[in-house]
Structure formats: C-alpha cells, structure tokens
Amino acid sequence: MIALLDPPVITIDGPSGSGKGTIARKVANALDFHLLDSGALYRLVAIAAKKNGIALTDCDALALLARDLDIRFDSNNKLSEKVFMDDIDVTLEVRKESTGAQASVVAGLTEVRLALLGRQRAFQVPPGLVADGRDMGTNVFPSAAIKVFLTAGAEVRAKRRHKQLKDQGVDVNLAALSRDIKGRDERDSSRLVAPLKPAKNARILDSSELSIETVTNTVLEWVAEL
Ligand code: DC
C-alpha cells in the first residue's frame, strides 16, 4: 500500500501577547493553509463550563464537556474568525480577558487536554495547517514540518494586548493587565501537563523589536526552505 504523506503542519507556540495569533493567521493566509487557534478551544470549554454551572475543578465533567462541544469556526473572512458554540455566535465572549484567565485554569487539567487532542489533530487536512497555541510543537503535532516559538518581552506583550483591547473599545488598566498576563504565563509554564515551552527543535523568534510583516516573512522564508 502506498503511504500518503500527512499534510504539512507549521506550529506557532508562545506566551500571551507574543503575536502568535496574528502571525499564524497571516502565514495561513499566505500559504492558503487551514488555521487552528487551539486557545479558542480551551476558552470555549471555560465558557461552556460557566453556562452549564460546572466548577473549573470538576475534571471529569469538564472533559466530557470538551469532548462533546458543538463548535464551529467560520473562517470565510480571512481577517478574523467567528466562533460559534451550539450555533450561537460567541466570538466576543471567547476573546474576553476573563475567558482567557478561566481557559488557563481548565487547560491545566490532563483530562481536558486529552479530550481536546483528537479534535485538534483533526485540523490536519490538505493542503496543510498552521496551528497556534502553547503545546502545538511539543505535544499535539510533534512531527510538524516547522516549529516556531514566538516570544516578546513581558512589557511589550502587555502593551500590545492593552492596545488590542483599547482598539476593541475595552478600557483596562495597563498595570492590572500586565499582572494578569504574568500570572497566566506562570500558570501555563509551570503546570505539569503540556507546559508552555519550546519544542526541542523549535526555532525561537523574539518579536519584541520586529514588525508583524518581518515576523510573518521570516516564517514564510523558513517554509520556503523546506
Ligand atoms: O492563546 P490563548 O490566549 O487563546 O489561550 C488561552 C489559554 O488556553 C492560555 O492561557 C493557555 C491555554 N492554552 C493551552 O494550554 N494550550 C494551548 N495549546 C492553547 C491555549
């Protein structure tokens, strides 16, 4: 039997505010690849938990919820994506800072991560996939063609997120936001299961001083070298 090659995967992992969501979308658009925003899955579990009155410590109930989530990403629009749960548009709720903080808590549960593993791998379909998250290169797609670990200084990341929220009309205090991001990074990096860390063969890219265009082009050059 002829073994068919798996569609190529490019993983982009990194901490909050490193720009991985923006870069992943631009790289996916340039290559006409599919896009997996894995953080959105953890965010959706947190939203569904709240809706169903499930505590963020109830591993078994949360794992069931994660397994059975009825979700849909509408990527017709290449600039941004709409997220639906049970056919209801939950895009705004998914993007809230409070949802991100709750997602970071459920993401620490092995049972939830396992329940989402297959769902994430199902995104690997032709012509290829760009996957962004925290453990795309280490756990979900260990044999990805290119693994990028995108970083940026903590202050730069907080300022970027602050501007992003301001542009969306959300007024938050920069110092409080900076504290929240730090707390989330610490939780994501220190957890026992699939912590945020670069894969052994990841290419580390510090975007603190780089434009979105430069980072995107750097990743696309790596792809062209394949
Ligand atoms: O990338 P994001 O801000 O949407 O992610 C929300 C939270 O989900 C983040 O704090 C950590 C968690 N997460 C994870 O543990 N693994 C992933 N692959 C993606 C996100």
Side-chain angles (χ1 to χ4, degrees), residues 59-137:
C59 310
D60 294 335
L62 289 171
L64 277 179
L65 208 58
R67 198 196 61 189
D68 295 335
L69 282 180
D70 174 7
I71 52 180
R72 182 164 54 86
F73 293 96
D74 179 356
S75 46
N76 284 340
N77 169 359
K78 292 213 157 198
L79 295 174
S80 63
E81 197 164 53
K82 281 195 175 292
V83 189
F84 294 83
M85 189 161 64
D86 297 323
D87 270 333
I88 297 166
D89 186 347
V90 288
T91 315
L92 286 180
E93 203 175 347
V94 163
R95 292 289 143 230
K96 278 186 187 162
E97 284 303 295
S98 54
T99 306
Q102 288 155 1
S104 171
V105 174
V106 300
L109 304 172
T110 310
E111 295 83 350
V112 171
R113 302 201 77 87
L114 277 176
L116 291 179
L117 197 57
R119 291 189 92 119
Q120 293 174 89
R121 289 187 174 150
F123 279 77
Q124 187 182 3
V125 287
L129 174 69
V130 180
D132 104 60
R134 305 290 189 291
D135 65 336
M136 297 295 98

Side-chain angles (χ1 to χ4, degrees), residues 29 44 52 67 83 121 124 151 167 175 177-178 214:
N29 284 349
L44 285 163
N52 290 283
R67 198 196 61 189
V83 189
R121 289 187 174 150
Q124 187 182 3
T151 62
D167 290 347
L177 185 65
S178 184
T214 304

